[in-house]
Amino acid sequence: MPGPRRPLVVTADHELLDDLLRLAAAGGTEVDVAPDPAAARARYPGASLVMVGSDQVAACVRARLPRRRRVIVVGRHSDMDATTWQIAEPLGAEHVAVLPTAETWVVEQFSERPEPGPASRTIAVIGGRGGAGASILAAGLATTAVRFGHRTLLVDADPLGGGLDLLLGWEDMTGLRWPGLSGADGRVDPPALLGALPRRGDLVLLSFDREQLPGVPAEAMAATLDAARRGRDVIVADLPRQLDDAAVLALQAADRTLLVVPAELRAAASAARTAATIRMHCEDVAVVVRGPAPGKLRAREVATALGLPLAGTLRPEPAMCQAVENGTAPCADGKGPLSDLCRRLVDDLMGTRTSTAAPA
């Protein structure tokens, strides 16, 4: 499990950075530092506090960093003017701090220890090639997480993946789909968003409208991830192999990414390119190898060739495939190799060890 989230300082102004490091030390905390929004993006959503230097405010707005709580714009009096608030507003900045006047107040912000929220965890799943089985694994992870008492959001972010609503047997359920979030910019009430999505029990799904399959807007993905971090225990994201901006946001928010690869030489070669791209955005990447292996290629050989740890294997389950065709979600009964794998992966993600399913 990761350590406590630290404040994030975003500035390329060395003098301002020196001042903020001094004030953070006075507040008894260490900070992460990013010189620009590109370097900040991965840590931006989860930081306990974000201090954006006046030199980077406009760049952060252009980069369309998601709105979040506890964002403060800070700079010297000579760097501020009447437009600072207008520029900072799209970031959701709560305050503009002018140094040196506000130094004592800034120290107080660094020293404040916000109440820890729920330990939400995110796992992304990507296929090493088309038809690798990533969607089956994503759906299995989501249903397994719910079975063991975790409030879960399943995000279908692959417009060409066939539809997770079909895989769950939810295609006739009413509720908000991606097109309904096309105008989201972060000003979304988390309970309202989660309450508008299709759901059964503690499983909530965000998928595509079958009549309209656009790409996922990055702003909608950012708003969804923010809402889910506040209202779900587990977020499972089924992502496309060709990463768009929304998929990159999900990867950067993921605690772990699983790359699903068939046990075939050409599939492994294709997955190597995908793995290299994933690693640019997520540190914890592992491979799940799907059998059968026509050429007797072993799962560990695939993992070694990709330079990734082996998270597990998928074996053929004709009975499960037949059940899915009849509208039963993967792992709904908790039986079979896929259920065993998903249970172990959820345990690893949450840092727990389950023995029996949570009561209904």
Side-chain angles (χ1 to χ4, degrees), residues 179-267:
L181 281 172
S182 60
D185 61 357
R187 299 186 182 97
V188 178
D189 178 61
L193 187 153
L194 295 173
L197 299 176
R199 70 182 301 153
R200 283 182 183 166
D202 278 335
L203 178 57
V204 180
L205 172 68
L206 178 53
S207 61
F208 294 93
D209 186 328
R210 204 149 312 284
E211 298 178 358
Q212 186 179 2
L213 294 177
V216 178
E219 296 82 0
M221 178 64 81
T224 299
L225 293 173
D226 181 60
R229 275 190 290 265
R230 303 190 219 174
R232 300 282 92 182
D233 304 313
V234 175
I235 306 163
V236 181
D238 184 13
L239 304 182
R241 292 167 54 227
Q242 301 296 325
L243 299 180
D244 53 19
D245 290 344
V248 168
L249 280 178
L251 273 180
Q252 292 172 340
D255 297 287
R256 192 175 207 199
T257 297
L258 299 174
L259 180 63
V260 184
V261 183
E264 303 169 8
L265 182 60
R266 291 183 62 194

Side-chain angles (χ1 to χ4, degrees), residues 324-339:
V324 167
E325 291 294 327
N326 293 324
T328 301
C331 302
D333 61 0
K335 299 177 182 178
L338 177 61
S339 290

